[in-house]
Amino acid sequence: MDVEKIAEELYGLRPSDFVAARDRYVAEARRAKDPGAAKAIASLRRPALAVWAANLLARQRPEETRQFLTLGETLREAHRTLDADQLRAASRQQHQLVTALARTAAVLAREAGQPVSDTVLHEIEQALHGVLAHPDVADLWSKGRLVKTPEAAVDFAAITPAQVPAHPAPADQPEPKKKPERKAARLRDLKRARTTAKEADAEVGRRERQLGKARDAQESAEGKAGETAERARRLERELRRAQQAKTETAAAASAAGAAVKAAERALREARRVAEGAVRAVERLEQQDEP
């Protein structure tokens, strides 16, 4: 079986249709004695609704997708090189594009029969920010294969043009002297801020893992529910066939019973006629005796 082709088809489906379609292909692969394909298909995870909408955007708007990927490369390069002018221009474009593309994705989702809420729209924006920040996420998204909302890019997606300095400070400009107390306070504040950011980042990671487990559990439950529903439909079909057979058997039995009664009546009549004939013969024989 062509696993790549099947994956392309599955990730184009609405999330509500994903699990049932995937399980059908897994069953088909098993019937075809192709355990490798069955395992590969079974490992495909259903995308979250917001991620599916973002994937739909990548699939249906290739030109916007290319522009957005190019912007991501520019932003990442600007962060690596600390190019303030490039970063300021790219970050301004970033926020405009993320907002516009998220709304476009929501429209495409609605046209596909899957409207999205404001919460999901925010998650689409988060997914697009992740595309800009992470090359591996960008690669999956460009193929329409993103499965979950990427982790928030710390100090990347949240950056605004106002936070980017207009001009880098001259290299030979001496740093103004600060009072020891102010410097110590600043260091304490910085340490606390870093600790808070680290704890917040850890909490985000924990919540994302919980969400992933919950989604896996939901997917498993939906898969089992689909299997149970299919089994119920199969049993209902068997029950209908059994009821039909019962009705037909009852009709046949009734007809057979009627035939038996008719045969019994015919037998009784034949016996009566035979007995009458015997008696007639006996009378005639008695008359012929001398």
Side-chain angles (χ1 to χ4, degrees):
M1 298 182 68
D2 190 339
V3 176
E4 186 67 20
K5 183 177 179 180
I6 291 171
E8 180 70 17
E9 176 188 337
L10 290 177
Y11 283 109
L13 299 175
R14 293 185 300 178
S16 57
D17 300 328
F18 183 94
V19 173
R22 181 198 61 192
D23 291 349
R24 284 196 298 270
Y25 276 121
V26 170
E28 183 179 337
R30 288 171 179 163
R31 287 194 298 269
K33 308 298 183 183
D34 191 346
K39 183 177 180 180
I41 296 169
S43 69
L44 298 175
R45 301 267 71 83
R46 183 186 68 171
L49 177 56
V51 174
W52 169 79
N55 286 340
L56 189 64
L57 174 70
R59 287 169 175 268
Q60 296 192 10
R61 298 297 175 87
E63 183 59 34
E64 287 91 334
T65 297
R66 284 192 292 271
Q67 293 176 358
F68 198 63
L69 292 172
T70 300
L71 174 62
E73 294 173 358
T74 301
L75 272 168
R76 292 191 295 273
E77 178 62 24
H79 273 272
R80 281 193 298 269
T81 61
L82 298 178
D83 186 330
D85 291 334
Q86 186 182 37
L87 183 59
R88 185 168 54 256
S91 61
R92 181 181 297 110
Q93 188 181 5
Q94 166 195 0
H95 289 277
Q96 293 171 346
L97 269 180
V98 165
T99 300
L101 291 181
R103 290 175 179 171
T104 300
V107 171
L108 294 175
R110 185 167 60 251
E111 291 175 350
Q114 183 63 68
V116 300
S117 64
D118 290 341
T119 299
V120 174
L121 180 62
H122 175 72
E123 292 174 354
I124 296 173
E125 292 179 352
Q126 182 181 341
L128 293 177
H129 279 304
V131 169
L132 292 176
H134 306 292
D136 54 337
V137 174
D139 181 60
L140 286 173
W141 176 72
S142 67
K143 298 173 182 176
R145 302 285 184 85
L146 198 59
V147 174
K148 63 179 182 179
T149 304
E151 295 181 2
V154 179
D155 293 333
F156 184 93
I159 193 167
T160 62
Q163 293 172 308
V164 181
H167 300 284
D172 56 351
Q173 181 177 348
E175 182 180 353
K177 294 182 179 180
K178 299 178 181 179
K179 294 181 178 181
E181 296 82 359
R182 291 181 57 189
K183 186 173 182 179
R186 187 183 68 82
L187 289 175
R188 284 194 301 271
D189 292 343
L190 179 58
K191 184 177 180 181
R192 281 196 296 268
R194 284 174 175 169
T195 300
T196 301
K198 185 177 180 180
E199 292 174 349
D201 189 49
E203 179 66 12
V204 168
R206 188 173 69 84
R207 294 296 183 182
E208 287 178 342
R209 287 190 295 273
Q210 288 179 344
L211 178 59
K213 290 180 180 178
R215 283 174 174 164
D216 287 344
Q218 179 189 24
E219 183 176 326
S220 176
E222 288 177 348
K224 290 179 180 178
E227 293 174 359
T228 302
E230 178 58 31
R231 184 168 178 269
R233 287 191 292 269
R234 186 169 62 252
L235 291 173
E236 287 173 353
R237 289 193 296 269
E238 292 176 359
L239 176 60
R240 285 195 295 270
R241 286 195 293 268
Q243 289 173 336
Q244 179 64 25
K246 179 182 177 182
T247 300
E248 292 173 353
T249 302
S254 177
V260 167
K261 290 179 180 178
E264 288 175 343
R265 286 194 300 270
L267 176 60
R268 286 194 299 271
E269 179 63 21
R271 285 175 176 171
R272 186 185 64 78
V273 171
E275 289 172 355
V278 169
R279 286 194 295 271
V281 169
E282 290 176 347
R283 286 195 300 270
L284 291 172
E285 288 178 342
Q286 290 173 357
Q287 292 174 1
D288 290 340
E289 289 180 355

